[in-house]
Amino acid sequence: MKKILITGGAGFVGHHCVEHFLKNTDWKVVVLDSLNYAGNLNRITDSEYFDAKRVGFIWHDLCSPISKTTRDMIGDLDYMIHFAAESHVDKSLEDSIPFVKSNVLGTANLMEYLKNFQPHCRTVVFSTDEVFGPAPQGVYYKEDDRFKPSNPYSAAKAGEEMIAYSFAHAFGLPVFVVRSMNIIGERQHPEKFLPKVIRSIIDDKKITLHGLGEADLSSRCWIHARNVADGIVFLLDKGQSGEFYHIVGEERSVLEIANWVSQAVRGKNLDESRIEWLDYHKARPGHDKRYALSGQKMAAMGWEPPVNLEESVKKTVDWTLKNPVWLNL
Ligand SMILES: NC(=O)c1ccc[n+]([C@@H]2O[C@H](COP(=O)([O-])OP(=O)(O)OC[C@H]3O[C@@H](n4cnc5c(N)ncnc54)[C@H](O)[C@@H]3O)[C@@H](O)[C@H]2O)c1
Protein backbone atom coordinates (compact mmCIF):
# COMPACT_ATOMS: atom_id res chain seq x y z
CA MET A 1 0.00 0.00 0.00
CA LYS A 2 1.36 3.45 -0.92
CA LYS A 3 1.92 6.10 1.71
CA ILE A 4 1.57 9.89 1.43
CA LEU A 5 2.57 12.53 3.99
CA ILE A 6 0.43 15.67 4.00
CA THR A 7 1.92 18.55 5.98
CA GLY A 8 -0.71 21.04 7.19
CA GLY A 9 -3.36 18.31 6.71
CA ALA A 10 -5.41 19.69 9.62
CA GLY A 11 -5.75 23.01 7.77
CA PHE A 12 -8.41 23.97 5.25
CA VAL A 13 -6.86 22.95 1.91
CA GLY A 14 -4.85 20.08 3.41
CA HIS A 15 -7.89 18.32 4.90
CA HIS A 16 -9.65 18.35 1.51
CA CYS A 17 -6.62 16.56 0.09
CA VAL A 18 -6.68 14.05 2.95
CA GLU A 19 -10.35 13.39 2.14
CA HIS A 20 -9.60 13.11 -1.59
CA PHE A 21 -6.97 10.38 -1.01
CA LEU A 22 -9.21 8.50 1.43
CA LYS A 23 -12.05 8.59 -1.08
CA ASN A 24 -10.15 7.85 -4.30
CA THR A 25 -7.19 5.61 -3.32
CA ASP A 26 -6.34 2.82 -0.86
CA TRP A 27 -3.20 4.72 0.28
CA LYS A 28 -2.20 5.33 3.87
CA VAL A 29 -2.30 9.05 4.71
CA VAL A 30 -0.03 10.55 7.37
CA VAL A 31 -0.82 14.10 8.49
CA LEU A 32 1.97 16.19 10.01
CA ASP A 33 0.78 19.43 11.60
CA SER A 34 1.61 21.73 14.51
CA LEU A 35 -2.08 22.59 15.02
CA ASN A 36 -1.75 26.37 15.15
CA TYR A 37 -4.94 28.50 15.46
CA ALA A 38 -5.97 27.46 11.90
CA GLY A 39 -5.34 23.72 12.32
CA ASN A 40 -8.22 21.53 13.49
CA LEU A 41 -8.20 17.73 13.47
CA ASN A 42 -12.02 17.68 13.54
CA ARG A 43 -11.86 18.66 9.86
CA ILE A 44 -10.39 15.23 9.13
CA THR A 45 -12.61 13.16 11.42
CA ASP A 46 -15.73 15.06 10.26
CA SER A 47 -15.34 13.63 6.74
CA GLU A 48 -17.59 10.74 5.71
CA TYR A 49 -14.46 9.06 4.25
CA PHE A 50 -12.46 9.18 7.51
CA ASP A 51 -10.97 5.79 8.34
CA ALA A 52 -8.85 5.65 11.50
CA LYS A 53 -6.96 2.60 10.15
CA ARG A 54 -5.70 4.58 7.14
CA VAL A 55 -4.95 7.97 8.70
CA GLY A 56 -2.01 8.68 11.01
CA PHE A 57 -1.35 11.98 12.78
CA ILE A 58 2.01 13.36 13.88
CA TRP A 59 2.30 16.58 15.85
CA HIS A 60 5.39 18.43 14.69
CA ASP A 61 6.32 22.08 14.24
CA LEU A 62 8.38 22.38 11.04
CA CYS A 63 10.29 25.31 12.54
CA SER A 64 12.37 22.51 14.12
CA PRO A 65 14.23 19.84 12.15
CA ILE A 66 12.47 16.47 11.85
CA SER A 67 13.86 14.31 14.67
CA LYS A 68 14.71 10.59 14.51
CA THR A 69 11.62 9.77 16.57
CA THR A 70 9.42 11.67 14.10
CA ARG A 71 11.20 10.03 11.15
CA ASP A 72 10.51 6.60 12.62
CA MET A 73 6.85 7.51 13.10
CA ILE A 74 6.58 8.67 9.47
CA GLY A 75 8.32 5.60 7.98
CA ASP A 76 8.93 5.22 4.22
CA LEU A 77 7.06 7.56 1.91
CA ASP A 78 5.98 7.42 -1.74
CA TYR A 79 4.55 10.94 -1.90
CA MET A 80 4.36 14.18 0.05
CA ILE A 81 2.26 17.34 -0.27
CA HIS A 82 3.57 20.31 1.67
CA PHE A 83 0.72 22.63 2.68
CA ALA A 84 1.86 23.61 6.19
CA ALA A 85 2.31 27.37 6.33
CA GLU A 86 1.26 30.51 8.08
CA SER A 87 -1.44 31.60 5.64
CA HIS A 88 -3.23 34.80 6.66
CA VAL A 89 -2.11 38.05 4.96
CA ASP A 90 -3.47 40.36 7.70
CA LYS A 91 -1.54 38.48 10.38
CA SER A 92 1.65 38.76 8.30
CA LEU A 93 1.21 42.55 8.20
CA GLU A 94 1.08 42.58 12.01
CA ASP A 95 4.15 40.34 12.46
CA SER A 96 6.16 38.79 9.64
CA ILE A 97 8.47 36.63 11.76
CA PRO A 98 6.21 33.54 12.23
CA PHE A 99 5.68 33.60 8.43
CA VAL A 100 9.39 33.53 7.67
CA LYS A 101 9.91 30.81 10.27
CA SER A 102 7.11 28.44 9.22
CA ASN A 103 7.13 29.05 5.48
CA VAL A 104 10.85 29.47 4.71
CA LEU A 105 12.70 27.74 7.58
CA GLY A 106 9.91 25.11 7.83
CA THR A 107 10.32 24.24 4.14
CA ALA A 108 14.12 24.10 4.47
CA ASN A 109 13.76 21.64 7.38
CA LEU A 110 11.45 19.51 5.23
CA MET A 111 13.85 19.60 2.26
CA GLU A 112 16.77 18.55 4.51
CA TYR A 113 14.66 15.61 5.66
CA LEU A 114 13.88 14.63 2.04
CA LYS A 115 17.50 15.03 0.95
CA ASN A 116 18.87 12.90 3.79
CA PHE A 117 16.15 10.32 4.34
CA GLN A 118 13.50 10.23 1.55
CA PRO A 119 15.26 11.23 -1.69
CA HIS A 120 12.77 9.30 -3.87
CA CYS A 121 9.60 10.78 -2.37
CA ARG A 122 7.66 12.67 -5.07
CA THR A 123 6.80 15.98 -3.41
CA VAL A 124 4.46 18.86 -4.17
CA VAL A 125 5.26 22.19 -2.52
CA PHE A 126 2.03 24.14 -2.58
CA SER A 127 2.11 27.90 -3.14
CA THR A 128 0.06 30.87 -4.18
CA ASP A 129 -0.64 33.32 -7.04
CA GLU A 130 0.27 36.08 -4.56
CA VAL A 131 4.03 35.52 -5.13
CA PHE A 132 3.64 37.52 -8.38
CA GLY A 133 1.99 40.51 -6.67
CA PRO A 134 -0.89 42.37 -8.30
CA ALA A 135 -1.84 41.45 -11.86
CA PRO A 136 -2.87 44.32 -14.19
CA GLN A 137 -6.15 43.76 -16.06
CA GLY A 138 -5.66 41.22 -18.85
CA VAL A 139 -2.41 39.81 -17.41
CA TYR A 140 -2.33 36.14 -16.37
CA TYR A 141 1.01 35.20 -14.85
CA LYS A 142 2.78 32.19 -16.34
CA GLU A 143 4.77 29.66 -14.34
CA ASP A 144 8.18 31.28 -14.92
CA ASP A 145 7.21 34.95 -14.60
CA ARG A 146 9.05 37.20 -12.18
CA PHE A 147 8.10 37.35 -8.48
CA LYS A 148 6.98 40.65 -6.94
CA PRO A 149 5.39 39.68 -3.60
CA SER A 150 3.77 42.68 -1.97
CA ASN A 151 3.18 41.50 1.60
CA PRO A 152 5.21 39.40 4.06
CA TYR A 153 2.96 36.33 3.59
CA SER A 154 3.56 36.19 -0.15
CA ALA A 155 7.25 37.07 0.26
CA ALA A 156 7.66 34.13 2.65
CA LYS A 157 5.81 31.88 0.14
CA ALA A 158 8.20 33.06 -2.60
CA GLY A 159 11.11 32.14 -0.29
CA GLU A 160 9.50 28.73 0.33
CA GLU A 161 9.26 28.10 -3.42
CA MET A 162 12.89 29.03 -4.02
CA ILE A 163 14.13 26.75 -1.23
CA ALA A 164 12.14 23.87 -2.78
CA TYR A 165 13.41 24.64 -6.30
CA SER A 166 17.02 24.81 -5.11
CA PHE A 167 16.79 21.32 -3.54
CA ALA A 168 15.24 19.90 -6.73
CA HIS A 169 18.00 21.51 -8.79
CA ALA A 170 21.00 20.87 -6.52
CA PHE A 171 20.14 17.35 -5.35
CA GLY A 172 17.82 16.06 -8.10
CA LEU A 173 14.98 15.57 -5.62
CA PRO A 174 11.59 14.86 -7.29
CA VAL A 175 10.17 18.08 -5.85
CA PHE A 176 7.99 20.53 -7.80
CA VAL A 177 6.00 23.65 -6.99
CA VAL A 178 2.25 23.98 -7.56
CA ARG A 179 0.57 27.38 -7.29
CA SER A 180 -3.10 28.05 -6.96
CA MET A 181 -5.43 30.92 -6.17
CA ASN A 182 -8.27 31.80 -3.80
CA ILE A 183 -9.50 28.41 -2.65
CA ILE A 184 -13.01 27.84 -1.36
CA GLY A 185 -14.75 24.85 0.17
CA GLU A 186 -16.30 23.25 3.21
CA ARG A 187 -14.80 23.79 6.69
CA GLN A 188 -12.85 26.93 5.75
CA HIS A 189 -11.71 29.12 8.64
CA PRO A 190 -14.42 31.75 9.41
CA GLU A 191 -11.83 34.55 8.94
CA LYS A 192 -11.87 33.89 5.14
CA PHE A 193 -14.07 35.63 2.55
CA LEU A 194 -16.70 32.98 1.72
CA PRO A 195 -17.58 31.95 5.31
CA LYS A 196 -17.63 35.64 6.30
CA VAL A 197 -20.14 36.43 3.52
CA ILE A 198 -22.33 33.43 4.42
CA ARG A 199 -22.31 34.50 8.09
CA SER A 200 -23.20 38.14 7.25
CA ILE A 201 -26.10 37.12 4.99
CA ILE A 202 -27.51 34.72 7.60
CA ASP A 203 -27.20 37.43 10.29
CA ASP A 204 -28.61 40.18 8.00
CA LYS A 205 -25.43 42.20 8.48
CA LYS A 206 -23.66 44.45 5.96
CA ILE A 207 -21.08 42.83 3.71
CA THR A 208 -17.74 44.55 3.27
CA LEU A 209 -16.41 44.35 -0.28
CA HIS A 210 -13.06 45.72 -1.39
CA GLY A 211 -13.35 48.37 -4.10
CA LEU A 212 -14.92 51.77 -4.56
CA GLY A 213 -18.16 50.53 -6.13
CA GLU A 214 -19.21 48.19 -8.90
CA ALA A 215 -16.87 49.78 -11.46
CA ASP A 216 -13.79 49.30 -9.24
CA LEU A 217 -14.00 45.86 -7.74
CA SER A 218 -11.36 43.64 -6.29
CA SER A 219 -11.20 40.49 -8.41
CA ARG A 220 -9.63 37.11 -7.83
CA CYS A 221 -9.41 33.72 -9.46
CA TRP A 222 -11.30 31.14 -7.39
CA ILE A 223 -11.28 27.37 -7.24
CA HIS A 224 -12.79 24.68 -4.99
CA ALA A 225 -10.36 22.68 -2.82
CA ARG A 226 -11.64 19.41 -4.37
CA ASN A 227 -10.57 20.66 -7.80
CA VAL A 228 -7.17 21.54 -6.32
CA ALA A 229 -6.86 18.01 -4.89
CA ASP A 230 -7.77 16.57 -8.30
CA GLY A 231 -5.06 18.70 -9.99
CA ILE A 232 -2.47 17.64 -7.41
CA VAL A 233 -3.23 13.94 -7.99
CA PHE A 234 -2.74 14.53 -11.73
CA LEU A 235 0.62 16.19 -11.03
CA LEU A 236 1.84 13.54 -8.56
CA ASP A 237 1.92 11.31 -11.64
CA LYS A 238 3.01 13.80 -14.34
CA GLY A 239 4.95 16.57 -12.52
CA GLN A 240 8.67 16.96 -13.25
CA SER A 241 11.41 17.71 -10.72
CA GLY A 242 12.15 21.46 -10.39
CA GLU A 243 9.12 22.48 -12.48
CA PHE A 244 6.30 24.92 -11.61
CA TYR A 245 2.60 24.34 -12.33
CA HIS A 246 -0.59 26.40 -11.97
CA ILE A 247 -3.92 24.90 -10.91
CA VAL A 248 -6.37 27.52 -12.13
CA GLY A 249 -10.08 28.12 -11.57
CA GLU A 250 -12.27 31.02 -12.73
CA GLU A 251 -11.85 34.79 -12.41
CA ARG A 252 -14.79 36.54 -10.70
CA SER A 253 -15.25 39.78 -8.79
CA VAL A 254 -15.96 39.66 -5.07
CA LEU A 255 -19.46 41.01 -5.85
CA GLU A 256 -20.28 38.11 -8.18
CA ILE A 257 -19.23 35.59 -5.52
CA ALA A 258 -21.24 37.44 -2.84
CA ASN A 259 -24.30 37.44 -5.13
CA TRP A 260 -24.00 33.68 -5.71
CA VAL A 261 -23.87 33.18 -1.94
CA SER A 262 -26.90 35.42 -1.49
CA GLN A 263 -28.77 33.45 -4.19
CA ALA A 264 -27.97 30.17 -2.39
CA VAL A 265 -29.00 31.51 1.06
CA ARG A 266 -31.86 33.92 0.25
CA GLY A 267 -32.77 33.10 -3.38
CA LYS A 268 -31.90 36.63 -4.61
CA ASN A 269 -28.95 38.93 -5.29
CA LEU A 270 -27.56 41.19 -2.55
CA ASP A 271 -29.47 44.36 -1.86
CA GLU A 272 -27.20 47.43 -2.59
CA SER A 273 -27.97 48.77 0.89
CA ARG A 274 -26.33 45.68 2.39
CA ILE A 275 -22.95 46.36 0.76
CA GLU A 276 -20.24 48.47 2.36
CA TRP A 277 -17.46 49.43 -0.08
CA LEU A 278 -13.92 49.66 1.30
CA ASP A 279 -10.94 51.25 -0.43
CA TYR A 280 -8.67 48.16 -0.38
CA HIS A 281 -5.41 50.19 -0.36
CA LYS A 282 -6.41 52.41 2.57
CA ALA A 283 -8.17 49.68 4.52
CA ARG A 284 -5.67 46.90 3.92
CA PRO A 285 -2.18 48.06 2.98
CA GLY A 286 -0.35 45.20 1.29
CA HIS A 287 -3.55 43.86 -0.27
CA ASP A 288 -3.72 43.77 -4.03
CA LYS A 289 -6.68 44.49 -6.26
CA ARG A 290 -6.29 41.58 -8.66
CA TYR A 291 -4.38 38.32 -8.80
CA ALA A 292 -4.41 36.04 -11.84
CA LEU A 293 -2.60 32.95 -13.08
CA SER A 294 -2.43 31.36 -16.51
CA GLY A 295 -3.68 27.76 -16.60
CA GLN A 296 -2.38 27.06 -20.13
CA LYS A 297 0.42 24.72 -19.07
CA MET A 298 -1.89 22.33 -17.16
CA ALA A 299 -4.54 22.57 -19.90
CA ALA A 300 -1.92 21.56 -22.49
CA MET A 301 -1.02 18.60 -20.24
CA GLY A 302 -4.69 17.55 -20.31
CA TRP A 303 -6.05 18.78 -16.97
CA GLU A 304 -8.98 21.06 -16.23
CA PRO A 305 -11.06 21.55 -13.05
CA PRO A 306 -13.79 18.87 -12.87
CA VAL A 307 -16.45 21.11 -11.25
CA ASN A 308 -17.25 24.70 -12.33
CA LEU A 309 -17.10 27.59 -9.88
CA GLU A 310 -20.77 28.57 -9.59
CA GLU A 311 -21.73 24.98 -8.76
CA SER A 312 -18.80 24.74 -6.31
CA VAL A 313 -19.96 27.90 -4.47
CA LYS A 314 -23.55 26.64 -4.32
CA LYS A 315 -22.50 23.22 -2.96
CA THR A 316 -20.24 24.84 -0.37
CA VAL A 317 -22.95 27.23 0.82
CA ASP A 318 -25.60 24.46 0.96
CA TRP A 319 -23.25 22.25 2.98
CA THR A 320 -22.32 25.10 5.33
CA LEU A 321 -25.97 25.93 6.00
CA LYS A 322 -26.45 22.30 7.08
CA ASN A 323 -23.23 22.33 9.15
CA PRO A 324 -23.21 25.82 10.73
CA VAL A 325 -20.80 24.75 13.49
CA TRP A 326 -18.02 25.47 10.95
CA LEU A 327 -19.00 29.16 10.91
CA ASN A 328 -18.48 29.43 14.67
CA LEU A 329 -14.93 28.28 15.30
N1 LIG B 1 -6.45 29.02 1.14
C1 LIG B 1 -6.10 29.53 -0.02
O1 LIG B 1 -6.90 30.20 -0.69
C2 LIG B 1 -4.73 29.27 -0.60
C3 LIG B 1 -4.44 29.70 -1.91
C4 LIG B 1 -3.18 29.42 -2.46
C5 LIG B 1 -2.23 28.75 -1.69
N2 LIG B 1 -2.53 28.38 -0.41
C6 LIG B 1 -1.50 27.66 0.37
O2 LIG B 1 -2.07 26.42 0.75
C7 LIG B 1 -1.55 26.01 2.00
C8 LIG B 1 -2.68 25.71 2.96
O3 LIG B 1 -3.50 26.88 3.08
P1 LIG B 1 -4.77 26.84 4.04
O4 LIG B 1 -5.68 27.91 3.60
O5 LIG B 1 -5.26 25.45 4.16
O6 LIG B 1 -4.08 27.29 5.40
P2 LIG B 1 -4.49 26.96 6.90
O7 LIG B 1 -3.93 28.07 7.70
O8 LIG B 1 -5.93 26.62 6.99
O9 LIG B 1 -3.69 25.61 7.20
C9 LIG B 1 -2.30 25.58 7.43
C10 LIG B 1 -1.98 24.37 8.30
O10 LIG B 1 -0.55 24.34 8.48
C11 LIG B 1 -0.27 24.11 9.85
N3 LIG B 1 1.01 24.75 10.15
C12 LIG B 1 1.29 26.09 10.13
N4 LIG B 1 2.58 26.27 10.49
C13 LIG B 1 3.12 25.05 10.72
C14 LIG B 1 4.40 24.59 11.13
N5 LIG B 1 5.39 25.45 11.41
N6 LIG B 1 4.61 23.25 11.27
C15 LIG B 1 3.61 22.37 11.03
N7 LIG B 1 2.36 22.75 10.67
C16 LIG B 1 2.13 24.07 10.52
C17 LIG B 1 -1.43 24.75 10.61
O11 LIG B 1 -1.59 24.19 11.91
C18 LIG B 1 -2.62 24.45 9.70
O12 LIG B 1 -3.22 23.21 10.02
C19 LIG B 1 -0.62 27.14 2.46
O13 LIG B 1 0.69 26.78 2.10
C20 LIG B 1 -1.09 28.35 1.66
O14 LIG B 1 -0.02 29.25 1.44
C21 LIG B 1 -3.75 28.61 0.14
Side-chain angles (χ1 to χ4, degrees), residues 11-13 33-34 36 61-62 83 87 102 153 157 181 183:
F12 163 59
V13 189
D33 201 298
S34 66
N36 73 5
D61 185 337
L62 284 167
F83 288 115
S87 68
S102 280
Y153 160 67
K157 291 298 289 185
M181 45 205 27
I183 302 170

Side-chain angles (χ1 to χ4, degrees), residues 130-277:
E130 297 191 35
V131 295
F132 296 116
Q137 280 305 326
V139 170
Y140 295 86
Y141 289 117
K142 291 208 167 79
E143 278 76 358
D144 293 323
D145 280 345
R146 176 171 170 263
F147 289 166
K148 230 176 185 183
S150 50
N151 57 60
Y153 160 67
S154 49
K157 291 298 289 185
E160 168 178 338
E161 289 192 15
M162 291 295 91
I163 290 285
Y165 171 78
S166 73
F167 275 72
H169 182 75
F171 306 109
L173 298 181
V175 172
F176 45 94
V177 173
V178 176
R179 301 188 189 105
S180 197
M181 45 205 27
N182 264 39
I183 302 170
I184 57 155
E186 297 74 9
R187 307 181 194 88
Q188 192 163 21
H189 196 281
E191 72 190 359
K192 299 290 166 99
F193 179 73
L194 196 70
K196 263 198 201 156
V197 172
I198 300 173
R199 170 96 269 167
S200 302
I201 293 176
I202 293 173
D203 292 349
D204 266 335
K205 290 206 173 124
K206 285 207 167 198
I207 291 174
T208 305
L209 297 181
H210 293 128
L212 297 174
E214 281 199 44
D216 174 61
L217 277 170
S218 170
S219 126
R220 299 279 184 270
C221 294
W222 311 78
I223 188 166
H224 194 284
R226 277 192 287 274
N227 284 341
V228 171
D230 188 86
I232 287 177
V233 171
F234 178 89
L235 285 170
L236 281 178
D237 181 34
K238 300 203 163 37
Q240 303 278 322
S241 168
E243 279 287 325
F244 295 78
Y245 301 93
H246 291 172
I247 294 180
V248 172
E250 294 173 35
E251 182 170 12
R252 302 285 168 180
S253 75
V254 284
L255 180 61
E256 278 176 286
I257 301 288
N259 273 330
W260 286 348
V261 176
S262 182
Q263 284 287 354
V265 180
R266 296 261 183 254
K268 57 177 186 167
N269 278 359
L270 278 179
D271 191 317
E272 262 293 316
S273 65
R274 295 245 155 262
I275 303 173
E276 186 174 45
W277 299 106

Side-chain angles (χ1 to χ4, degrees), residues 19-80:
E19 182 176 69
H20 193 87
F21 285 104
L22 292 177
K23 183 180 171 193
N24 297 300
T25 71
D26 64 353
W27 302 359
K28 185 138 196 328
V29 180
V30 180
V31 170
L32 180 148
D33 201 298
S34 66
L35 297 180
N36 73 5
Y37 80 98
N40 186 339
L41 286 176
N42 292 337
R43 286 201 177 96
I44 298 172
T45 53
D46 191 48
S47 164
E48 62 182 296
Y49 301 101
F50 175 68
D51 174 354
K53 291 191 284 302
R54 285 178 57 204
V55 184
F57 176 74
I58 296 172
W59 186 93
H60 176 78
D61 185 337
L62 284 167
C63 296
S64 301
I66 295 182
S67 67
K68 175 161 186 333
T69 311
T70 305
R71 289 200 311 266
D72 290 347
M73 284 164 77
I74 296 172
D76 283 336
L77 291 174
D78 299 285
Y79 303 104
M80 181 193 300

Side-chain angles (χ1 to χ4, degrees), residues 307-324:
V307 184
N308 80 36
L309 186 64
E310 189 166 1
E311 194 183 331
S312 297
V313 169
K314 187 171 172 359
K315 277 189 180 166
T316 305
V317 176
D318 288 347
W319 184 92
T320 307
L321 293 176
K322 289 190 194 115
N323 298 274

